[in-house]
Amino acid sequence: MHSTMPDTPLTIARILEYGSTVQGSSTVATWTGDGFDRRTYAEVGERAARLAHALRTSLGLSVGTRPEDRQGVVATFMWNNARHLELFLAVPAMGAVLHTLNVRMPVEQLAYTVRHAGDEVIVVDSGLLGEFAALLPRLPAAVRHIVVAGPGDRTPLSGFAGEVHDYEQLIAGMPSDYPWEEDLDERTAATMCYTSGTTGNPKGVVYSHRSIHLHCLQVAAPNRYDLTNRETVFPIAPMYHVNAWTVPHAAFATGADLLLADRHTGPGPLSRVIEAGRPTFASAVPTVWTMLSQEWDARPRDISSLRRGLVGGSACPPALMAAYRDRYSVELLHAWGMTETSSLATTALPPRGVDAERERAYRATQGQFPLSVRFRIVDEQGVVVPNDDVATGELQVRGPCVTAAYRGADGVPERPAEGFTPDGWLRTGDVGRVSPDGYLTLTDRAKDVIKSGGEFISGVALETALAEHPAVVEAAVVAVPDDRWGERPLAAVSLRAGSGVALADLRDFLSRHVASWMVPERWAVVASVPKTSVGKYDKRDIQDRYAQGRLDVVHLGRRPGDRAGDRAGLIGM
Amino acid sequence: MHSTMPDTPLTIARILEYGSTVQGSSTVATWTGDGFDRRTYAEVGERAARLAHALRTSLGLSVGTRPEDRQGVVATFMWNNARHLELFLAVPAMGAVLHTLNVRMPVEQLAYTVRHAGDEVIVVDSGLLGEFAALLPRLPAAVRHIVVAGPGDRTPLSGFAGEVHDYEQLIAGMPSDYPWEEDLDERTAATMCYTSGTTGNPKGVVYSHRSIHLHCLQVAAPNRYDLTNRETVFPIAPMYHVNAWTVPHAAFATGADLLLADRHTGPGPLSRVIEAGRPTFASAVPTVWTMLSQEWDARPRDISSLRRGLVGGSACPPALMAAYRDRYSVELLHAWGMTETSSLATTALPPRGVDAERERAYRATQGQFPLSVRFRIVDEQGVVVPNDDVATGELQVRGPCVTAAYRGADGVPERPAEGFTPDGWLRTGDVGRVSPDGYLTLTDRAKDVIKSGGEFISGVALETALAEHPAVVEAAVVAVPDDRWGERPLAAVSLRAGSGVALADLRDFLSRHVASWMVPERWAVVASVPKTSVGKYDKRDIQDRYAQGRLDVVHLGRRPGDRAGDRAGLIGM
């Protein structure tokens, strides 16, 4: 039966129009180092219109309104700032595609993604021209224009064969309204992000207008970012990765004010942004929350405006959540997601009416999936297991915000067999279980599980336990080859300055929390755990350093007094 | 460019699946008169599956997955209860269409809608068989099955030529899982509701899976129902009208517990439901909130669980909002919507940082539109006016949850010229203005404006002013013919028992709040203001009673001491 409801599409143009009119008096504030550069969403709307005119008429960018149309691709090599926000909105809203380049990705991978994505224009923050210069000789000829955002020396670009423009000059004098695509097919490409895997080439996820618009509705919900026009949001997570977890779009879609830190990504400057900008909500990886907490230990700040922080990207140690709750009255909300799930999927808001202990346990899970993500846990035999909080397997997901393919070499989506099941579910590579009331607990990455003597050891479980020790700042546990057991865990830890703790103390601490056969024999103290370009632990790097003998490893035997005959012994360890 | 995101549809089946699995331990509790009949969402899911099997195999209902497919229509004649919830979910999720019959609609109009909608099965609460009997002789032959929900005497149905079934017997023994339509086209019809206009035949709005799914995401937002699995929601607004404002779907989509009052719709029983069920949120028309407040004056209740109430359907007097805030610590959130906008559109959550007086002013507006509704204010010349909080005109809206047509006689959508602009905007018939920060203030229904001597008087403005008087329970102001001025306002008021106020006191009170030429000369005291079948003031009925001399009208002259030469005089009054 025909409904009487129309086919009005779910687009970025609608988000731009809504934010710049109904919420036009809300503001985006970019940190300059000693204050904010503030503009209203209405002004962002006008500048986005100017930008679209400039891209269309001055740079000749192609636009399309259907999945089969050719669309020009604009790449960005930028921090979190208001110009980046203008690009976030204008480029998809005009019918082109935005490709955010990860400024911390190795240059070979970056060059690969520029070529693979078909970038034609690259917008670069002037403060990043030095870093960008390394990419310059590897740019394909398809890149015809570089637009420099902000003042400064342009000489790093002198070798570029195409045209160089100044962002402000480019948009100056352009009309301040633009006929945004109203009747665009919502399945058309809007933005692109490449995964930052440590093996193989990066894989391109191409988000549609529909997927971003729906994700935007999802993340604004009360058990996620909880956004209205009464809030101020501070996306610390970078705009160059997975649409900054859709925070900029959600702010525009709700009228929440935005704070952006620009190039000031250290804990000191971030703290000043919080103190001066008074956000009610911020989003970051655990490492950043840890750094901020250390910063505030050293130099107390007024962070009283913060009500909730979203922790995604890696598992958040429960001790960190407890510290934020007890010391700063900030609710750190645990979350899980991937580039492939448009960022945020689950969040761990506990059900009501549970006691403090169960509340902590719920908060330590990855949390509940939203309506838009279907999931299942599949064991090694390919059987879907029940949600009984016991049966463990690979997490598989699907839904309107979950990618069903990667961008192929010719731009046509491809579905590699190792990434998807034959019936179209995304294989996340994460291993875990789900409780009867729908809370996900991830126990490991499939590839990070340590297979020791025929039994599995969860590196993540050891990391979580170690992070509870007051002297531990960061702890990464990786699998290393072992003659007797096949693999054994190695723990690389960074320690609080002046803590005076010995590795044997940590070994003993760990023995009280996990089965003794799981406790690593190999330990290394590191200044900080190496990270990938998006701030996750780079376990591959630790393994490589170990293999090449570039890690100072201390070998610790079993804790004195531990008896044989524990579980490991029973299964033949 | 092709995105890599899939076409996963937005369906009711997904809402049903999500609620009955991830949120399967949440509960729906139906009031029995002295307690709750409770079942989990997992049980609702199983019973919905049984119901779908029964409708398909026992009653031979057709299902479809594309707009062009034939789909069977199941009507309901029911209160708010768990069986109605099962029908809400199962019927669309299986690919059929649900048509909720308004149990308070006049029987001629009901018969019209049954025929027009193509109903084949009608499910009737056993307690409503008496009311339903009046409709029985007017049912078209297409209605082949009547399903009675609940125990009781079936003799009122003895004249029915088709088959009569018992709901529980029908679903007993059916399988408790069902292959819900996963790949249904989201634009396919899901539910139908007929408007309850006081003139002409009711008009049918046919909601799609997409429109309900999107509306569900919209209403759960923090500035609307604010729903998570920590809340308990009590939709007092009936399930037989506009999908109960999407509350049941939103509860399933978030895991909020549901309370349903069944046939117990009086203020006493509703208060008992609140006391026993401890909802955190409830939704109702202003009349119900007024009745509840009066009830609690007479008989104090523990309503401390209530945090927010949504007021929709008619304008909410600011005095009522203030009373709920001051006396019960309940935030009554003002809202506006129509059958045609899938119910809720705007809500009036004030921006932060405004003083108490401005906060009250913001709360008295109809509020801000959400991302999913585009709007414009159009003056009598057809020109779109600016959002300056001054320029007034007709409100026009469009969007994925706003109907673009009505169901035609042959089932094909029709777009009557009086209801829509040539470029496809819905003409709401409401008159108002929008502020620069996006807050809508409705001043009148276009058809309710009183045209007095060439000048317009807002009946709603007079009603709002009168409602501030402590002796006034309800006040309706309607246009009546006047020999000299064309039209003049007539005020029909119901008064608090024992208040001892005279109509002249009300006249004087009103004179202090509005221009004296606007003050009505004609006044009537009524036991209660007549209401339409959805609880709105039935102004047509008041006008008819006046025309037929069935209203005791008191004529009051101008307040003593008021001088001539006010605004009305200047324009020739």
Side-chain angles (χ1 to χ4, degrees):
Chain A
M1 183 190 297
H2 292 277
S3 88
T4 64
M5 309 308 283
D7 266 347
T8 318
L10 308 176
T11 64
I12 307 293
R14 175 56 191 154
I15 293 172
L16 172 55
E17 185 208 10
Y18 179 81
S20 58
T21 56
V22 176
Q23 307 295 352
S25 52
S26 295
T27 60
V28 53
T30 307
W31 186 245
T32 62
D34 58 3
F36 285 110
D37 182 2
R38 233 177 254 278
R39 53 189 73 148
T40 65
Y41 287 0
E43 288 165 342
V44 170
E46 289 176 9
R47 286 176 54 91
R50 290 204 175 96
L51 173 64
H53 279 292
L55 291 171
R56 192 91 181 84
T57 61
S58 305
L59 305 195
L61 193 72
S62 315
V63 296
T65 59
R66 299 285 175 271
E68 58 275 20
D69 289 350
R70 167 170 155 66
Q71 295 173 278
V73 182
V74 176
T76 54
F77 193 82
M78 300 174 81
W79 299 115
N80 290 9
N81 53 48
R83 289 196 190 96
H84 210 172
L85 177 66
E86 290 157 14
L87 286 149
F88 256 53
L89 296 165
V91 173
M94 71 189 288
V97 178
L98 183 79
H99 171 207
T100 52
L101 293 170
N102 179 337
V103 306
R104 292 194 159 132
M105 197 180 255
V107 70
E108 298 79 12
Q109 290 191 4
L110 268 182
Y112 170 85
T113 68
V114 169
R115 189 180 298 273
H116 194 265
D119 298 346
E120 298 162 33
V121 176
I122 306 183
V123 186
V124 186
D125 271 333
S126 59
L128 281 167
L129 282 178
E131 288 81 350
F132 185 73
L135 181 60
L136 206 55
R138 301 166 197 247
L139 288 183
V143 179
R144 297 173 292 116
H145 300 279
I146 293 174
V147 180
V148 181
D153 178 17
R154 266 74 167 146
T155 50
L157 297 178
S158 54
F160 180 58
E163 294 177 32
V164 175
H165 311 266
D166 175 81
Y167 188 100
E168 294 300 325
Q169 283 173 17
L170 192 68
I171 72 170
M174 291 289 167
S176 63
D177 57 357
Y178 186 93
W180 303 114
E181 290 298 346
E182 258 191 50
D183 293 319
L184 177 143
D185 182 329
E186 66 193 36
R187 298 167 305 144
T188 306
T191 74
M192 253 190 279
C193 179
Y194 281 76
T195 60
S196 53
T198 47
T199 55
N201 280 322
K203 287 173 288 188
V205 174
V206 186
Y207 306 103
S208 64
H209 285 257
R210 174 184 168 97
S211 73
I212 295 175
H213 193 110
L214 287 171
H215 196 250
C216 180
L217 294 175
Q218 174 199 309
V219 297
N223 58 348
R224 293 187 156 70
Y225 303 162
D226 195 23
L227 297 188
T228 68
N229 66 344
R230 300 171 71 87
E231 308 296 322
T232 299
V233 298
F234 183 25
I236 302 178
M239 292 172 76
Y240 60 66
H241 192 57
V242 210
N243 299 321
W245 305 357
T246 321
V247 172
H249 308 89
F252 243 66
T254 60
D257 290 326
L258 259 177
L259 302 180
L260 300 173
D262 202 50
R263 65 187 181 281
H264 311 281
T265 57
L270 291 178
S271 301
R272 289 186 64 196
V273 174
I274 293 173
E275 199 163 46
R278 303 198 59 72
T280 54
F281 173 84
S283 53
V285 293
T287 311
V288 169
W289 290 110
T290 301
M291 285 192 329
L292 286 173
S293 166
Q294 289 177 297
E295 166 75 15
W296 302 336
D297 281 348
R299 199 181 338 229
R301 303 278 191 171
D302 176 11
I303 55 150
S304 59
S305 65
L306 260 189
R307 192 167 60 82
R308 177 180 284 181
L310 204 289
V311 200
S314 310
C316 178
L320 189 63
M321 281 190 257
Y324 269 84
R325 184 193 62 225
D326 297 341
R327 291 159 61 191
Y328 314 118
S329 297
V330 173
E331 177 191 30
L332 279 197
L333 197 61
H334 203 193
W336 174 86
M338 306 169 70
T339 304
E340 288 85 344
T341 64
S342 306
S343 74
L344 188 74
T346 61
T347 51
L349 188 72
R352 71 168 165 207
V354 296
D355 62 27
E357 189 179 340
R358 287 185 64 211
E359 160 121 7
R360 274 193 298 276
Y362 273 110
R363 287 192 180 277
T365 71
Q366 269 65 31
Q368 284 191 322
F369 281 97
L371 181 63
S372 61
V373 185
R374 289 178 69 194
F375 67 89
R376 63 187 191 188
I377 301 284
V378 179
D379 71 13
E380 293 201 335
Q381 285 71 48
V383 177
V384 176
V385 304
N387 296 337
D388 58 7
D389 217 15
V390 175
T392 297
E394 185 185 39
L395 174 66
Q396 301 182 352
V397 291
R398 70 186 305 175
C401 305
V402 178
T403 200
Y406 295 106
R407 181 172 164 85
D410 54 358
V412 176
E414 285 174 2
R415 183 182 285 184
E418 70 275 18
F420 300 88
T421 65
D423 56 343
W425 293 72
L426 173 74
R427 301 187 57 177
T428 66
D430 282 316
V431 173
R433 60 182 193 268
V434 175
S435 69
D437 54 356
Y439 285 76
L440 169 72
T441 299
L442 289 182
T443 47
D444 244 303
R445 291 281 305 164
K447 64 181 181 197
D448 290 346
V449 168
I450 300 149
K451 203 163 181 179
S452 171
E455 190 75 359
F456 294 107
I457 297 175
S458 163
V460 169
L462 300 189
E463 290 167 3
T464 303
L466 277 170
E468 299 285 323
H469 192 287
V472 171
V473 177
E474 294 175 323
V477 176
V478 303
V480 293
D482 185 276
D483 288 344
R484 182 158 179 211
W485 305 114
E487 288 182 353
R488 285 295 294 163
L490 174 152
V493 294
S494 74
L495 298 174
R496 212 166 288 278
S499 68
V501 75
L503 286 172
D505 298 333
L506 294 183
R507 188 263 325 262
D508 294 353
F509 175 82
L510 197 55
S511 301
R512 290 195 295 274
H513 290 85
V514 302
S516 63
W517 62 272
M518 294 181 174
V519 176
E521 297 79 23
R522 298 170 182 85
W523 293 77
V525 174
V526 291
S528 72
V529 171
K531 314 276 188 324
T532 68
S533 61
V534 295
K536 297 185 188 189
Y537 288 172
D538 191 343
K539 297 195 173 183
R540 176 67 171 269
D541 184 68
I542 300 171
Q543 289 165 323
D544 287 349
R545 288 203 224 175
Y546 176 77
Q548 295 157 12
R550 293 189 293 113
L551 204 61
D552 290 329
V553 175
V554 177
H555 286 260
L556 297 175
R558 187 156 293 195
R559 184 171 59 155
D562 269 1
R563 290 182 300 114
D566 58 14
R567 185 161 177 240
L570 294 177
I571 60 155
M573 187 173 172
Chain B
M1 183 189 296
H2 291 279
S3 87
T4 62
M5 309 307 284
D7 265 348
T8 319
L10 308 175
T11 64
I12 307 291
R14 174 57 191 152
I15 294 173
L16 173 54
E17 184 208 10
Y18 179 80
S20 59
T21 55
V22 176
Q23 308 294 351
S25 53
S26 295
T27 60
V28 53
T30 306
W31 186 244
T32 62
D34 59 3
F36 286 110
D37 182 3
R38 235 177 252 278
R39 52 190 73 149
T40 65
Y41 287 0
E43 288 165 343
V44 170
E46 289 176 8
R47 287 176 53 91
R50 291 203 175 97
L51 173 63
H53 280 291
L55 290 171
R56 192 90 182 88
T57 61
S58 304
L59 306 195
L61 194 72
S62 314
V63 296
T65 59
R66 299 287 175 268
E68 59 274 19
D69 288 351
R70 171 172 152 64
Q71 295 173 277
V73 183
V74 177
T76 55
F77 193 82
M78 300 174 81
W79 298 117
N80 291 9
N81 53 48
R83 289 196 190 97
H84 210 172
L85 176 66
E86 290 157 15
L87 285 149
F88 256 54
L89 297 165
V91 173
M94 69 189 288
V97 178
L98 182 79
H99 171 207
T100 52
L101 293 170
N102 179 336
V103 306
R104 291 193 161 133
M105 198 180 255
V107 70
E108 299 79 12
Q109 290 191 3
L110 268 182
Y112 169 85
T113 69
V114 169
R115 188 178 299 272
H116 194 265
D119 298 346
E120 298 163 32
V121 176
I122 306 184
V123 186
V124 186
D125 270 335
S126 59
L128 281 167
L129 282 178
E131 289 81 349
F132 185 75
L135 180 61
L136 205 55
R138 300 167 198 246
L139 289 182
V143 178
R144 297 173 291 114
H145 300 278
I146 293 175
V147 180
V148 181
D153 179 17
R154 265 71 168 149
T155 51
L157 296 178
S158 55
F160 179 61
E163 293 177 34
V164 175
H165 311 265
D166 175 82
Y167 188 101
E168 294 301 325
Q169 283 174 16
L170 194 67
I171 72 170
M174 291 288 166
S176 63
D177 57 357
Y178 187 92
W180 302 113
E181 289 299 345
E182 258 191 51
D183 292 319
L184 178 143
D185 182 330
E186 66 193 36
R187 299 168 305 143
T188 307
T191 74
M192 254 190 278
C193 178
Y194 281 76
T195 61
S196 54
T198 49
T199 56
N201 279 322
K203 288 173 287 189
V205 174
V206 186
Y207 306 103
S208 63
H209 284 257
R210 173 181 168 99
S211 74
I212 295 174
H213 193 109
L214 286 171
H215 197 250
C216 181
L217 294 175
Q218 174 199 308
V219 298
N223 59 348
R224 291 187 158 70
Y225 304 161
D226 194 23
L227 297 187
T228 67
N229 65 345
R230 301 171 71 87
E231 308 296 322
T232 299
V233 299
F234 182 25
I236 302 178
M239 292 172 77
Y240 59 67
H241 192 57
V242 210
N243 298 322
W245 305 357
T246 320
V247 172
H249 308 89
F252 243 65
T254 60
D257 289 326
L258 258 177
L259 302 180
L260 300 172
D262 203 49
R263 65 189 182 278
H264 311 280
T265 58
L270 291 179
S271 302
R272 290 187 65 196
V273 173
I274 293 173
E275 199 164 47
R278 302 198 59 74
T280 55
F281 173 84
S283 53
V285 293
T287 311
V288 169
W289 290 110
T290 302
M291 285 191 329
L292 286 173
S293 167
Q294 289 178 295
E295 166 76 14
W296 302 335
D297 281 347
R299 201 183 333 231
R301 302 278 193 172
D302 175 10
I303 55 151
S304 59
S305 65
L306 259 189
R307 189 167 62 83
R308 177 181 284 182
L310 193 99
V311 200
S314 311
C316 178
L320 189 63
M321 279 190 258
Y324 269 85
R325 185 194 60 225
D326 298 340
R327 292 158 63 190
Y328 314 118
S329 298
V330 173
E331 177 191 32
L332 279 197
L333 196 62
H334 203 193
W336 173 87
M338 305 168 69
T339 305
E340 288 85 344
T341 63
S342 306
S343 75
L344 189 73
T346 62
T347 51
L349 188 73
R352 72 169 162 203
V354 295
D355 61 27
E357 190 181 337
R358 288 184 65 210
E359 160 122 7
R360 274 193 298 276
Y362 273 110
R363 288 192 180 277
T365 71
Q366 268 66 32
Q368 285 191 320
F369 281 97
L371 180 63
S372 62
V373 185
R374 289 178 69 194
F375 67 89
R376 64 188 190 187
I377 301 286
V378 179
D379 70 14
E380 294 202 334
Q381 285 71 48
V383 177
V384 176
V385 304
N387 296 339
D388 58 7
D389 216 15
V390 175
T392 296
E394 185 187 38
L395 173 66
Q396 300 181 353
V397 291
R398 71 186 306 175
C401 305
V402 177
T403 198
Y406 294 106
R407 182 172 164 83
D410 54 0
V412 176
E414 285 174 4
R415 183 183 285 184
E418 71 275 17
F420 299 89
T421 66
D423 57 342
W425 293 71
L426 173 74
R427 302 186 56 176
T428 66
D430 282 315
V431 172
R433 59 182 194 270
V434 175
S435 68
D437 55 355
Y439 285 76
L440 169 72
T441 299
L442 290 181
T443 48
D444 244 304
R445 291 283 303 165
K447 65 180 181 200
D448 289 347
V449 168
I450 300 150
K451 202 165 183 179
S452 172
E455 190 75 1
F456 294 106
I457 298 174
S458 163
V460 170
L462 301 188
E463 289 167 3
T464 305
L466 277 171
E468 299 286 322
H469 192 287
V472 171
V473 177
E474 294 175 322
V477 176
V478 304
V480 294
D482 184 276
D483 289 343
R484 185 161 176 207
W485 305 114
E487 288 181 354
R488 286 295 294 162
L490 175 152
V493 294
S494 72
L495 299 174
R496 212 166 287 279
S499 67
V501 76
L503 287 172
D505 298 334
L506 295 183
R507 189 263 325 262
D508 296 352
F509 176 81
L510 198 55
S511 302
R512 290 195 295 274
H513 290 85
V514 302
S516 63
W517 63 272
M518 293 181 174
V519 176
E521 296 79 23
R522 297 170 181 84
W523 294 77
V525 174
V526 291
S528 72
V529 171
K531 313 276 188 325
T532 69
S533 61
V534 294
K536 297 185 188 189
Y537 287 172
D538 191 344
K539 297 195 173 184
R540 177 69 170 269
D541 184 68
I542 300 171
Q543 290 166 323
D544 288 349
R545 287 203 223 175
Y546 175 76
Q548 296 158 12
R550 292 188 293 114
L551 205 61
D552 291 329
V553 175
V554 177
H555 287 259
L556 295 175
R558 186 156 293 194
R559 184 171 60 156
D562 269 1
R563 290 180 302 113
D566 59 12
R567 187 163 176 238
L570 294 177
I571 61 155
M573 188 172 172

